[in-house]
Amino acid sequence: GESVGLHLPTLSVQEGDNSIINCAYSNSASDYFIWYKQESGKGPQFIIDIRSNMDKRQGQRVTVLLNKTVKHLSLQIAATQPGDSAVYFCAEKGGSYIPTFGRGTSLIVHP
Amino acid sequence: DTEVTQTPKHLVMGMTNKKSLKCEQHMGHRAMYWYKQKAKKPPELMFVYSYEKLSINESVPSRFSPECPNSSLLNLHLHALQPEDSALYLCASSPEGATEAFFGQGTRLTVV
């Protein structure tokens, strides 16, 4: 079936470095994508979203890039901090209002 | 109030017990969801309520029984669970048709 998946299950970076978390999707009808951050023992927290009519969106220290040609999106975190350590999920919505989650990437930030 | 509140935070129950998980939101959202999340896995959708009516049941076993008493509350009744049902149970809400879903902190359920 169609699904949203991630390339790397674990990403380790040094504090201050930039982080890039990737996500591939296969549903060409998906028109909205969300990145969630989930810290240990907590529920997913919204970070940033992007609609399919855009290819880039910036937030505070985060940027999401969308490449519809290859069905790929990425989350870039600038100047990564220890507090950014968490599991990051991409989620997609295509035709319904219900988010479907991808596999998740664990980001580990070393001080 | 921009929170989804879940109680209890932790629950240990035996396989013959009956227990309930509770979820509450006061954001006026008309869509509410139950997700199940196993360790190191993404949340998996269980149920969706839209305007207090069950709109989606993702083939969840009948030992899980959802209930939506009003637009602010969502319950998940548990009976005769198995150890493999141990997981983090997440509640979420959103304005229907909207984009972002707001998640609670979850209930960590252990079935012994």
Side-chain angles (χ1 to χ4, degrees):
Chain A
E2 294 181 317
S3 65
V4 177
L6 295 177
H7 294 303
L8 295 174
T10 302
L11 177 64
S12 292
V13 300
Q14 290 296 127
E15 182 179 359
D17 287 352
N18 296 333
S19 302
I20 300 176
I21 301 171
N22 296 304
C23 179
Y25 66 96
S26 56
N27 184 357
S28 56
S30 296
D31 58 3
Y32 178 69
F33 304 88
I34 314 164
W35 281 100
Y36 283 95
K37 172 186 180 182
Q38 187 174 23
E39 297 176 85
S40 180
K42 297 185 177 181
Q45 179 184 9
F46 172 91
I47 303 173
I48 193 168
D49 58 3
I50 189 168
R51 293 193 179 277
S52 60
N53 61 354
M54 303 169 68
D55 54 19
K56 181 179 180 179
R57 190 167 187 213
Q58 287 185 294
Q60 187 176 11
R61 281 201 308 120
V62 294
T63 301
V64 56
L65 299 177
L66 175 63
N67 186 331
K68 295 181 288 293
T69 302
V70 295
K71 299 194 185 90
H72 180 272
L73 69 158
S74 66
L75 177 69
Q76 300 179 1
I77 304 173
T80 314
Q81 301 168 0
D84 294 326
S85 294
V87 176
Y88 290 80
F89 293 100
C90 63
E92 58 95 13
K93 290 186 178 184
S96 81
Y97 53 90
I98 302 164
T100 302
F101 286 82
R103 184 161 54 119
T105 293
S106 177
L107 176 65
I108 301 171
V109 182
H110 301 282
Chain B
D1 187 351
T2 58
E3 286 190 348
V4 176
T5 303
Q6 290 187 243
T7 55
K9 286 186 169 49
H10 301 274
L11 178 62
V12 179
M13 62 184 291
M15 289 187 284
T16 59
N17 291 160
K18 287 184 180 181
K19 296 287 184 183
S20 296
L21 309 184
K22 297 186 183 301
C23 175
E24 188 169 2
Q25 58 89 12
H26 296 287
M27 294 178 279
H29 293 170
R30 302 315 297 267
M32 296 186 75
Y33 317 79
W34 281 115
Y35 284 82
K36 173 182 177 180
Q37 186 177 27
K38 301 285 275 186
K40 301 188 188 303
K41 298 289 187 183
E44 296 179 353
L45 184 67
M46 300 175 71
F47 302 104
V48 179
Y49 272 82
S50 176
Y51 290 87
E52 300 158 50
K53 294 191 187 308
L54 182 64
S55 61
I56 294 178
N57 176 343
E58 291 286 337
S59 302
V60 179
S62 60
R63 57 186 184 268
F64 295 91
S65 175
E67 179 197 18
C68 190
N70 59 56
S71 60
S72 299
L73 295 174
L74 186 66
N75 299 322
L76 186 62
H77 303 297
L78 314 172
H79 174 55
L81 294 194
Q82 303 296 309
E84 58 265 29
D85 296 321
S86 298
L88 180 68
Y89 287 84
L90 293 161
C91 175
S93 72
S94 68
E96 185 170 349
T99 52
E100 177 185 352
F102 294 79
F103 283 82
Q105 298 296 301
T107 294
R108 175 71 61 189
L109 174 67
T110 303
V111 181
V112 297

